[in-house]
Structures are given as C-alpha cells and as structure tokens.
Amino acid sequence: MAVSFRKPFLVGKELENLRLSLESLHLSGDGPFTKRCHDWLQAHYNCTVLLTHSCTAALEMAAILADIGPGDEVIMPSYTFVSTANAFVLRGAVPVFVDIRPDTLNLDERLLEQALSPRTKAIVPVHYAGVSCEMDTILDFARQHSLFVIEDAAQAHLCTYNGQALGRLGTFGTLSFHETKNVVAGEGGALLVNDPAFVERAHIIREKGTNRTQFLRRDVMKYEWLDIGSSYLPSDLIAAVLFAQLEEAEKINAMHRAAWARYHEALAPLEARGLLRRPTIPVHTQHNGHIYYVILPDAPTAEGLFHVLRKQGIGATTHYVPLHSAPAGRRFGRTIGSMAITDHVASCLVRLPLHAAISEAEIDRVVTAVDATLMNASAVSL
Ligand SMILES: *Cc1c(COP(=O)(O)O)cnc(C)c1O
C-alpha cells in the first residue's frame, strides 16, 4: 500500500459552494464568495486582506507597493521557493541571499548586518514549514535602517510569533492557498496590508492599475487607469472553494499538527542516537504542522533513505534547490558569505508524507521504514 506524500483535503462543502457560485453568475473576481473570504480573513487577521490568485501574485503586489525598482536590493534566504525572489527580480531588483539558521531553517537574522548595503530596500523573511523567523530582531533591524519587511507566510496560515499572527508583523504579508498548502483553493493567495497607508494603492494595483474597486463601491462614476498594476484577483469560483476551506481551517491545521506530533515523538529515539535531526520549534512560536522533515547526517544517507522509501511506495521528497545556486539565482542575485547550512540542508533534508487525512497507521509505516533504514545503515557502518 502506497503512502501519498501529500493530498489536498476536501472539507465537503466545496462542491455546494461552487454550485452556488455558478448559479450567482458572478464568475469574475470580487463576487459574493470573495467578500466572504475577505470578511473571514479580516476577522482573523485584523487587517486589510486582499485575495489574490496566488502567493506569487501577492508578493508581486508587495514589491510594487514597496516601490522596489532597478538596482534595489532585497535580503532573503536562498532556501525558499522561486517566487520569493522572482517577484522582486521582475521589478529589476537584486535578491541578496543569506544563509539560514541550522535550527528553524529560516533566514539567519545574525547575517543581516553583513548583507546590508546602501541599496538595501527590504527584507523578506520566509516562515519555513509555518515556523516563525526571529521577527523581533528582523523588525528592529528593519526599523533602524528604514527597510520594508515583507513576510513570505505562504506556508504559515494561522501561525504565530509571540502570539501575533505571521503575515501581520511586516508591512506586508503574503499567504498561499495552493493545492500543496494546508488550506487550499487550487491556486490562491492573499496579501495582508498592515499599514493602512497602502490600502488604497493595493486595491488599484490588484485591479489592473485602475480604481475599479472604488467604482464598484460607487465611490466614483467611472474607473480609469491610475497606476501600474495587473490582474491579481481570483475568480469568485476559486473563492467559493476557499471559503469552504477557511471555515474549517483551524480543524485542518489541527489534523496536520496531530500527524506532525506523531512523527516527532516516534522519531525522537533516532535523534537521540544521532542518526537524524528533527525540526526545532522555538517556544514562542505556534506552527501549523505544514511539513514534517528530517535532516540526515550526509547526502548519501539521505539518498539511501529516499531510495528505500520510494521502493516501499512511500512518497518522500527533498525541498528547494537553493536559489543562489540555480541558474536564474546566479544571474540575478548576489550571495553573502557562506551558504554552508543552506547547501547541507538542500542535500540532506527529507520531507515525509504529511497531509490532513494521513492515518496513524500510515505514519507508523513510514516511521518503521525510516527506523529500519537508518538502524541498518548505522549497523553496517559500525
Ligand atoms: C508555496 C509557496 C509560494 C508560492 O505560492 P503560490 O500560491 O503557489 O504562488 C511562495 N513562497 C513559499 C515559501 C511557498 O511555500
């Protein structure tokens, strides 16, 4: 029996909402379901939230709102998804890659000073696996040097740092509702606008550079081209699916966390023997069980484990090809100092199957396979 690496979890109401959405005949963006998603998100985040068709789109909007331009520099981890960097490269900016912390795999805030230049305009902390970056230090640094903080909270829906929601700490935060995240719309995302001064322009950028939102609110008689922008809003059909999911978001996250905790407990003995490293969750953070990973001592051991798991039909996968070593990253970016931890994690991290509906028996099967492989390997090397 195969164990899927990931599977989107349907809560049951998606189809009914889709039917209602089709019947409403409001199929374009900002219809009744988008409004319900906005209300839900704004109630939970207590700020202006704009639905987008992806987290990528939300990052692009943030880059425009922050007036990022040619030659500006944006500090970010290299161990992240391409959109973190691409959104800024599209504006002509240079992503400046720094290494990650060995514990949370998040941007190492101690490297910010070294990465700073007169061209630095923003920092993009990525909350990997829904575990918060060290935000106090990052926000202090940004304040001292008048930098924007744009949180890539793609994986961190409803996670917290010192009790504050991730995505709410920087000037902007971005969420993803892509099929691979906990809460899904197929493709979807949101921009959190934490400074009210940017709200009006955010609406304009999202509506192709026009004040169509004002027009729909009947604040103006006709709408016109005012600024640069694009079509960043999702169809109301997407919002219909998302709204069903949002209503169950806490439950979906709780299911992820339960699966995560079962792995974490079962794999503790292997960590105690030094055969792998488990994720670290700082005490002042709450995560959403988005990813369970283990870090093996070296690349051959990780590859050996992949091989065994795949042979047993267990979906396991690595994660990012670091951006600093990817062709476009080398072309558009700049790297600060050593990338030793990023490179090590890229070749030694193994993500185990995890989704809301994974069964305890499936988790136990994965753990047994990991256990047998690593104990076997260590016996051979002795
Ligand atoms: C998933 C993800 C994105 C992109 O999200 P989309 O909604 O697919 O655009 C960006 N950054 C990180 C860290 C992600 O995990």
XYZ file of all heavy atoms in Angstrom, residues 7-95:
678
model
N -1.832 15.210 -0.116
C -3.119 15.086 -0.791
C -3.956 16.252 -0.309
O -4.050 16.482 0.896
C -3.800 13.783 -0.317
C -4.290 12.884 -1.445
C -5.143 11.737 -0.930
C -4.363 10.672 -0.199
N -5.165 9.515 0.197
N -4.548 17.045 -1.220
C -5.393 18.134 -0.722
C -6.578 17.554 0.040
O -7.143 16.540 -0.369
C -5.833 18.867 -1.990
C -5.443 18.020 -3.137
C -4.483 16.972 -2.680
N -6.915 18.192 1.143
C -8.005 17.702 1.997
C -9.273 18.486 1.677
O -9.313 19.709 1.814
C -7.612 17.882 3.466
C -8.666 17.427 4.426
C -8.939 16.075 4.600
C -9.403 18.352 5.165
C -9.916 15.642 5.493
C -10.381 17.936 6.057
C -10.636 16.579 6.222
N -10.307 17.776 1.227
C -11.581 18.452 0.927
C -12.484 18.351 2.149
O -12.647 17.279 2.729
C -12.245 17.803 -0.290
C -11.425 17.873 -1.591
C -12.169 17.229 -2.751
C -11.060 19.316 -1.942
N -13.068 19.492 2.526
C -13.867 19.502 3.763
C -15.310 19.071 3.511
O -16.032 18.753 4.457
C -13.843 20.892 4.443
C -12.416 21.273 4.829
C -14.471 21.960 3.559
N -15.746 19.061 2.257
C -17.091 18.568 1.940
C -18.036 19.602 1.370
O -18.966 19.274 0.653
N -17.792 20.880 1.701
C -18.726 21.912 1.260
C -18.285 22.607 -0.031
O -18.987 23.491 -0.536
C -18.891 22.966 2.365
C -20.302 22.958 2.976
C -20.448 24.001 4.054
C -21.155 25.248 3.555
N -21.395 26.217 4.648
N -17.144 22.208 -0.567
C -16.593 22.900 -1.743
C -17.560 22.859 -2.927
O -17.784 23.868 -3.599
C -15.256 22.282 -2.158
C -14.102 22.521 -1.188
C -14.004 21.474 -0.101
O -14.926 20.645 0.040
O -12.987 21.474 0.626
N -18.121 21.652 -3.186
C -18.961 21.483 -4.371
C -20.242 22.312 -4.271
O -20.675 22.936 -5.242
C -19.287 19.991 -4.539
C -19.633 19.511 -5.934
C -18.534 19.882 -6.928
C -19.853 17.994 -5.927
N -20.836 22.319 -3.088
C -22.043 23.112 -2.844
C -21.750 24.604 -3.069
O -22.514 25.306 -3.730
C -22.508 22.843 -1.402
C -23.594 23.766 -0.864
C -24.948 23.577 -1.539
O -25.069 22.676 -2.391
O -25.861 24.363 -1.217
N -20.623 25.067 -2.543
C -20.252 26.472 -2.744
C -20.006 26.779 -4.218
O -20.399 27.850 -4.705
C -18.998 26.824 -1.934
C -19.302 27.016 -0.462
O -20.427 26.800 -0.029
N -18.302 27.417 0.306
N -19.378 25.839 -4.922
C -19.130 26.037 -6.353
C -20.449 26.159 -7.111
O -20.593 26.999 -7.996
C -18.339 24.853 -6.922
C -16.823 24.989 -6.942
C -16.197 23.696 -7.430
C -16.384 26.145 -7.832
N -21.397 25.305 -6.743
C -22.708 25.342 -7.391
C -23.386 26.701 -7.142
O -23.865 27.349 -8.063
C -23.591 24.203 -6.858
C -24.876 23.974 -7.660
C -25.698 22.824 -7.074
N -26.116 23.067 -5.696
C -27.139 23.855 -5.345
N -27.851 24.465 -6.271
N -27.441 24.029 -4.073
N -23.341 27.143 -5.899
C -23.929 28.442 -5.558
C -23.236 29.570 -6.321
O -23.887 30.505 -6.797
C -23.804 28.708 -4.052
C -24.671 27.834 -3.136
C -24.277 28.034 -1.679
C -26.147 28.166 -3.347
N -21.926 29.440 -6.445
C -21.160 30.473 -7.130
C -21.544 30.523 -8.609
O -21.777 31.602 -9.159
C -19.664 30.189 -6.966
O -18.924 31.157 -7.650
N -21.645 29.348 -9.231
C -22.049 29.298 -10.652
C -23.450 29.874 -10.818
O -23.711 30.646 -11.742
C -22.015 27.857 -11.155
C -20.621 27.282 -11.416
C -20.677 25.766 -11.590
C -19.993 27.942 -12.637
N -24.346 29.511 -9.920
C -25.723 29.988 -10.024
C -25.828 31.495 -9.823
O -26.729 32.139 -10.368
C -26.616 29.256 -9.009
C -26.927 27.827 -9.457
C -27.682 27.016 -8.407
O -28.028 27.567 -7.335
O -27.912 25.821 -8.671
N -24.918 32.043 -9.044
C -24.948 33.501 -8.812
C -24.585 34.264 -10.093
O -24.865 35.454 -10.209
C -23.968 33.888 -7.705
O -22.653 33.979 -8.214
N -23.934 33.548 -11.019
C -23.464 34.137 -12.278
C -22.434 35.248 -12.074
O -22.081 35.950 -13.003
C -24.639 34.646 -13.138
C -25.622 33.564 -13.602
C -26.729 34.189 -14.457
C -24.916 32.476 -14.396
N -21.936 35.365 -10.860
C -20.801 36.266 -10.647
C -19.542 35.400 -10.684
O -19.148 34.835 -9.678
C -20.903 37.010 -9.315
C -19.855 38.082 -9.214
N -20.135 39.391 -8.945
C -18.513 38.026 -9.397
C -19.010 40.104 -8.953
N -18.018 39.288 -9.224
N -18.957 35.276 -11.864
C -17.849 34.345 -12.054
C -16.491 35.034 -12.018
O -15.467 34.397 -11.794
C -18.007 33.594 -13.380
C -19.386 32.950 -13.605
C -19.406 32.197 -14.922
C -19.765 32.016 -12.456
N -16.483 36.317 -12.238
C -15.208 37.050 -12.204
C -14.832 37.307 -10.740
O -15.427 36.756 -9.827
C -15.352 38.364 -12.970
O -16.350 39.162 -12.369
N -13.855 38.163 -10.528
C -13.362 38.394 -9.162
C -14.279 39.270 -8.328
O -15.243 39.861 -8.826
N -13.961 39.306 -7.020
C -14.664 40.192 -6.082
C -16.182 40.041 -6.086
O -16.922 41.022 -5.960
C -14.261 41.656 -6.330
C -12.896 41.963 -5.718
O -12.495 41.239 -4.780
O -12.224 42.900 -6.175
N -16.642 38.789 -6.176
C -18.060 38.497 -6.034
C -18.405 38.149 -4.598
O -17.610 38.414 -3.677
N -19.587 37.543 -4.390
C -20.043 37.264 -3.020
C -19.107 36.348 -2.218
O -18.936 36.564 -1.015
C -21.405 36.597 -3.222
C -21.635 36.474 -4.690
C -20.593 37.227 -5.418
N -18.503 35.350 -2.867
C -17.612 34.465 -2.094
C -16.285 35.133 -1.763
O -15.713 34.894 -0.694
C -17.407 33.131 -2.812
C -18.515 32.147 -2.521
C -19.465 31.837 -3.482
C -18.614 31.551 -1.265
C -20.496 30.949 -3.204
C -19.633 30.659 -0.978
C -20.586 30.353 -1.944
N -15.800 35.985 -2.656
C -14.579 36.727 -2.320
C -14.850 37.610 -1.107
O -14.025 37.703 -0.196
C -14.119 37.596 -3.517
O -13.916 36.739 -4.635
C -12.834 38.331 -3.195
N -16.033 38.207 -1.070
C -16.381 39.053 0.074
C -16.393 38.231 1.362
O -15.882 38.670 2.392
C -17.731 39.725 -0.161
C -18.100 40.628 1.005
C -19.319 41.475 0.798
C -19.572 42.414 1.976
N -19.057 41.999 3.282
N -16.944 37.015 1.273
C -16.980 36.173 2.477
C -15.573 35.763 2.913
O -15.272 35.719 4.107
C -17.866 34.951 2.233
C -19.342 35.363 2.106
C -20.184 34.253 1.546
N -20.640 33.355 2.602
C -21.463 32.316 2.379
N -21.884 32.050 1.151
N -21.845 31.562 3.383
N -14.715 35.474 1.938
C -13.313 35.157 2.273
C -12.636 36.381 2.898
O -11.920 36.259 3.900
C -12.533 34.728 1.036
S -12.998 33.117 0.403
N -12.861 37.543 2.304
C -12.269 38.769 2.862
C -12.740 38.984 4.303
O -11.942 39.288 5.186
C -12.642 39.991 2.004
C -11.793 40.114 0.770
N -12.098 40.962 -0.266
C -10.639 39.500 0.405
C -11.166 40.866 -1.209
N -10.281 39.977 -0.827
N -14.040 38.819 4.527
C -14.574 39.021 5.885
C -13.932 38.030 6.865
O -13.532 38.400 7.972
C -16.101 38.850 5.895
C -16.797 40.016 5.196
O -16.127 41.053 4.951
O -17.995 39.890 4.880
N -13.844 36.767 6.430
C -13.251 35.735 7.302
C -11.792 36.080 7.607
O -11.370 36.067 8.775
C -13.334 34.362 6.616
C -13.028 33.213 7.532
C -13.924 32.414 8.181
C -11.721 32.735 7.917
N -13.255 31.474 8.941
C -11.917 31.650 8.803
C -10.416 33.121 7.612
C -10.859 30.936 9.370
C -9.341 32.419 8.196
C -9.581 31.338 9.046
N -11.045 36.400 6.572
C -9.606 36.663 6.751
C -9.384 37.929 7.571
O -8.503 37.983 8.430
C -8.915 36.772 5.388
C -8.762 35.429 4.645
C -8.474 35.645 3.160
C -7.646 34.588 5.275
N -10.217 38.953 7.321
C -10.026 40.213 8.051
C -10.413 40.048 9.512
O -9.784 40.637 10.392
C -10.771 41.342 7.341
C -10.141 41.507 5.966
C -10.596 42.688 5.123
O -9.761 43.387 4.621
N -11.883 42.882 4.940
N -11.397 39.209 9.783
C -11.762 38.937 11.178
C -10.628 38.182 11.885
O -10.345 38.413 13.059
C -13.057 38.129 11.241
N -9.969 37.281 11.166
C -8.900 36.500 11.797
C -7.584 37.250 11.875
O -6.811 37.038 12.794
C -8.706 35.169 11.067
C -9.714 34.139 11.465
N -11.027 34.189 11.051
C -9.614 33.069 12.283
C -11.685 33.181 11.582
N -10.860 32.484 12.333
N -7.318 38.091 10.883
C -6.026 38.780 10.850
C -6.117 40.228 11.339
O -5.097 40.847 11.622
C -5.423 38.722 9.440
C -4.803 37.366 9.142
C -5.471 36.410 8.389
C -3.548 37.042 9.651
C -4.891 35.171 8.129
C -2.967 35.814 9.401
C -3.638 34.882 8.633
O -3.057 33.660 8.392
N -7.324 40.749 11.391
C -7.495 42.099 11.907
C -6.669 43.132 11.143
O -5.990 43.985 11.728
C -7.144 42.111 13.414
C -7.686 43.332 14.108
O -8.664 43.915 13.639
N -7.044 43.741 15.183
N -6.691 42.999 9.822
C -6.038 43.984 8.951
C -6.709 43.858 7.593
O -7.565 43.001 7.401
C -4.539 43.702 8.817
S -4.149 42.197 7.918
N -6.328 44.719 6.649
C -6.876 44.585 5.294
C -6.236 43.381 4.613
O -5.013 43.264 4.564
C -6.595 45.854 4.472
O -7.278 46.937 5.106
C -7.096 45.698 3.040
N -7.078 42.480 4.117
C -6.586 41.293 3.409
C -7.218 41.289 2.027
O -8.429 41.462 1.894
C -6.967 39.992 4.147
C -6.360 38.781 3.446
C -6.532 40.034 5.606
N -6.391 41.126 1.004
C -6.904 41.070 -0.369
C -6.596 39.706 -0.968
O -5.430 39.289 -1.016
C -6.261 42.166 -1.219
C -6.586 43.598 -0.794
C -5.827 44.595 -1.659
C -8.082 43.849 -0.908
N -7.633 39.038 -1.429
C -7.460 37.748 -2.080
C -6.729 37.949 -3.410
O -7.032 38.899 -4.141
C -8.844 37.144 -2.335
C -9.054 35.682 -1.955
C -8.679 35.429 -0.511
C -10.500 35.282 -2.213
N -5.805 37.048 -3.697
C -5.080 37.081 -4.970
C -5.159 35.687 -5.596
O -5.614 34.746 -4.954
C -3.597 37.449 -4.751
O -3.029 36.523 -3.823
C -3.452 38.858 -4.217
N -4.680 35.574 -6.838
C -4.751 34.247 -7.453
C -3.601 33.351 -7.034
O -3.566 32.179 -7.366
C -4.887 34.335 -8.977
C -3.839 35.168 -9.633
N -2.537 34.776 -9.711
C -3.906 36.379 -10.234
C -1.843 35.715 -10.341
N -2.647 36.701 -10.660
N -2.641 33.901 -6.277
C -1.534 33.096 -5.760
C -0.748 33.916 -4.748
O -0.889 35.147 -4.687
C -0.593 32.670 -6.894
O -0.045 33.809 -7.519
N 0.104 33.227 -4.008
C 1.036 33.932 -3.127
C 2.053 34.671 -3.981
O 2.509 35.760 -3.636
C 1.733 32.932 -2.213
S 2.919 33.663 -1.090
N 2.384 34.091 -5.133
C 3.290 34.751 -6.074
C 2.745 36.136 -6.431
O 3.475 37.132 -6.412
C 3.425 33.886 -7.355
O 3.919 32.603 -6.969
C 4.340 34.509 -8.380
N 1.454 36.206 -6.740
C 0.811 37.476 -7.085
C 0.873 38.447 -5.905
O 1.134 39.646 -6.083
C -0.640 37.238 -7.485
N 0.651 37.935 -4.700
C 0.685 38.797 -3.516
C 2.094 39.360 -3.304
O 2.267 40.532 -2.939
C 0.224 38.011 -2.290
N 3.113 38.534 -3.560
C 4.496 39.007 -3.442
C 4.786 40.072 -4.497
O 5.451 41.076 -4.220
C 5.476 37.829 -3.598
C 5.572 36.880 -2.404
C 6.224 35.555 -2.808
C 6.363 37.522 -1.257
N 4.276 39.875 -5.705
C 4.471 40.876 -6.764
C 3.795 42.191 -6.384
O 4.348 43.274 -6.604
C 3.919 40.353 -8.098
C 4.768 39.233 -8.679
C 4.221 38.662 -9.985
O 3.414 39.351 -10.654
O 4.601 37.541 -10.325
N 2.602 42.098 -5.814
C 1.911 43.308 -5.358
C 2.722 44.019 -4.275
O 2.854 45.254 -4.283
C 0.525 42.952 -4.803
C -0.488 42.592 -5.870
S -2.109 42.231 -5.133
C -2.551 43.836 -4.470
N 3.274 43.235 -3.349
C 4.062 43.832 -2.258
C 5.292 44.545 -2.827
O 5.655 45.632 -2.370
C 4.470 42.750 -1.258
N 5.908 43.941 -3.849
C 7.102 44.549 -4.452
C 6.741 45.887 -5.113
O 7.498 46.854 -5.022
C 7.723 43.592 -5.470
N 5.578 45.933 -5.757
C 5.137 47.192 -6.385
C 4.814 48.227 -5.300
O 5.226 49.390 -5.377
C 3.909 46.955 -7.299
C 4.285 46.038 -8.471
C 3.362 48.289 -7.824
C 3.095 45.586 -9.321
N 4.084 47.793 -4.274
C 3.690 48.711 -3.199
C 4.902 49.297 -2.484
O 4.879 50.448 -2.036
C 2.790 47.979 -2.189
C 1.356 47.744 -2.657
C 0.668 46.702 -1.779
C 0.566 49.050 -2.653
N 5.958 48.496 -2.358
C 7.161 48.976 -1.670
C 8.044 49.797 -2.621
O 9.150 50.192 -2.248
C 7.936 47.792 -1.102
N 7.562 50.025 -3.848
C 8.306 50.805 -4.843
C 9.698 50.251 -5.088
O 10.666 51.012 -5.216
C 8.406 52.280 -4.413
C 7.203 53.078 -4.895
O 6.675 52.754 -5.988
O 6.793 54.003 -4.173
N 9.800 48.946 -5.115
C 11.080 48.312 -5.406
C 11.402 48.567 -6.878
O 10.556 48.367 -7.749
C 10.999 46.784 -5.157
C 10.560 46.482 -3.713
C 12.320 46.103 -5.508
C 11.531 46.820 -2.642
N 12.617 49.049 -7.134
C 12.988 49.398 -8.508
C 14.352 48.861 -8.895
O 15.017 48.191 -8.094
N 14.781 49.145 -10.115
C 16.056 48.641 -10.635
C 17.229 48.950 -9.704
O 17.373 50.085 -9.252
C 16.204 49.366 -11.974
C 14.787 49.647 -12.400
C 14.044 49.929 -11.130
N 18.015 47.927 -9.418
C 19.199 48.100 -8.587
C 18.953 48.008 -7.100
O 19.889 47.856 -6.311
N 17.696 48.088 -6.682
C 17.411 47.931 -5.247
C 17.767 46.512 -4.819
O 17.684 45.580 -5.613
C 15.918 48.163 -4.958
C 15.535 49.634 -5.050
O 16.441 50.489 -5.026
O 14.320 49.916 -5.150
N 18.122 46.383 -3.553
C 18.484 45.054 -3.041
C 17.470 44.588 -2.007
O 16.973 45.379 -1.204
C 19.886 45.099 -2.419
C 20.957 45.375 -3.462
C 22.375 45.290 -2.923
O 22.543 45.102 -1.695
O 23.308 45.418 -3.733
N 17.191 43.300 -2.053
C 16.209 42.702 -1.151
C 16.844 41.477 -0.506
O 17.234 40.535 -1.202
C 14.930 42.325 -1.930
C 13.897 41.729 -0.986
C 14.353 43.548 -2.653
N 16.972 41.524 0.825
C 17.632 40.433 1.542
C 16.636 39.308 1.802
O 15.513 39.560 2.274
C 18.214 40.935 2.885
C 19.173 42.111 2.636
C 18.913 39.802 3.639
C 19.644 42.790 3.919
N 17.042 38.084 1.496
C 16.137 36.931 1.657
C 16.966 35.659 1.799
O 18.153 35.649 1.469
C 15.213 36.826 0.440
C 15.938 36.570 -0.862
S 14.811 36.510 -2.281
C 14.269 38.219 -2.375
N 16.324 34.581 2.274
C 17.061 33.308 2.300
C 17.168 32.758 0.886
O 16.364 33.111 0.010
C 16.178 32.415 3.169
C 14.794 32.963 2.977
C 14.963 34.440 2.793
N 18.126 31.888 0.684
C 18.268 31.196 -0.603
C 17.423 29.926 -0.573
O 16.985 29.438 -1.622
C 19.745 30.852 -0.812
O 19.910 29.870 -1.790
N 17.194 29.426 0.639
C 16.423 28.196 0.797
C 14.935 28.553 0.842
O 14.314 28.656 1.903
C 16.846 27.462 2.075
C 16.389 26.022 2.073
C 16.924 25.110 1.156
C 15.420 25.565 2.958
C 16.489 23.806 1.120
C 14.994 24.256 2.925
C 15.534 23.375 2.004
O 15.105 22.073 1.959
N 14.361 28.800 -0.341
C 12.958 29.185 -0.444
C 12.459 28.903 -1.849
O 13.226 28.509 -2.736
C 12.756 30.674 -0.079
O 11.357 31.009 -0.167
C 13.533 31.584 -1.029
N 11.164 29.130 -2.045
C 10.554 28.948 -3.357
C 10.940 30.120 -4.272
O 11.181 31.229 -3.794
C 9.032 28.873 -3.179
C 8.302 28.486 -4.434
C 8.512 27.245 -5.016
C 7.416 29.357 -5.039
C 7.850 26.883 -6.171
C 6.744 29.010 -6.196
C 6.963 27.769 -6.769
N 10.977 29.863 -5.565
C 11.435 30.881 -6.528
C 10.661 32.191 -6.453
O 11.231 33.267 -6.666
C 11.376 30.368 -7.988
C 12.386 29.272 -8.221
C 9.986 29.873 -8.343
N 9.367 32.137 -6.136
C 8.562 33.361 -6.158
C 9.050 34.401 -5.166
O 8.873 35.608 -5.391
C 7.096 33.032 -5.865
O 6.592 32.198 -6.877
N 9.649 33.965 -4.058
C 10.181 34.898 -3.065
C 11.133 35.879 -3.745
O 11.113 37.079 -3.460
C 10.939 34.131 -1.958
O 10.166 33.009 -1.539
C 11.243 35.017 -0.772
N 11.955 35.362 -4.647
C 12.937 36.198 -5.343
C 12.373 36.801 -6.628
O 12.579 37.985 -6.928
C 14.178 35.374 -5.665
N 11.636 35.991 -7.372
C 11.159 36.395 -8.697
C 10.322 37.678 -8.654
O 10.434 38.541 -9.530
C 10.310 35.257 -9.269
C 10.555 35.055 -10.747
O 11.233 35.840 -11.403
N 9.990 34.004 -11.278
N 9.508 37.819 -7.624
C 8.626 38.981 -7.512
C 9.435 40.275 -7.520
O 8.976 41.307 -8.027
C 7.795 38.893 -6.230
N 10.648 40.224 -6.965
C 11.494 41.421 -6.872
C 12.366 41.578 -8.104
O 12.618 42.693 -8.552
C 12.304 41.358 -5.569
C 11.396 41.321 -4.370
C 11.004 40.109 -3.807
C 10.855 42.493 -3.863
C 10.110 40.066 -2.745
C 9.958 42.467 -2.803
C 9.581 41.249 -2.241
N 12.796 40.447 -8.660
C 13.582 40.487 -9.895
C 12.731 41.085 -11.021
O 13.232 41.830 -11.869
C 14.088 39.070 -10.253
C 14.705 39.046 -11.653
C 15.109 38.603 -9.222
N 11.440 40.808 -11.019
C 10.545 41.402 -12.020
C 10.558 42.934 -11.971
O 10.243 43.594 -12.953
C 9.109 40.904 -11.808
C 8.776 39.520 -12.378
C 7.412 39.048 -11.889
C 8.809 39.547 -13.904
N 10.882 43.494 -10.836
C 10.954 44.953 -10.686
C 12.373 45.474 -10.924
O 12.648 46.648 -10.700
C 10.489 45.374 -9.280
C 9.155 44.782 -8.884
C 8.041 45.791 -8.776
N 7.831 46.589 -9.955
C 7.134 46.210 -11.034
N 6.563 45.043 -11.090
N 7.019 47.020 -12.053
N 13.283 44.570 -11.299
C 14.660 44.971 -11.574
C 15.559 44.930 -10.355
O 16.704 45.387 -10.408
N 15.059 44.408 -9.256
C 15.843 44.388 -8.018
C 16.782 43.179 -7.972
O 16.646 42.235 -8.754
C 14.914 44.374 -6.810
N 17.722 43.232 -7.046
C 18.713 42.165 -6.865
C 18.395 41.412 -5.566
O 18.433 42.004 -4.487
C 20.142 42.759 -6.757
C 21.170 41.660 -6.509
C 20.471 43.575 -7.995
N 18.052 40.142 -5.652
C 17.887 39.374 -4.412
C 19.264 39.131 -3.788
O 20.184 38.720 -4.487
C 17.256 38.051 -4.863
C 17.238 38.051 -6.352
C 17.817 39.336 -6.852
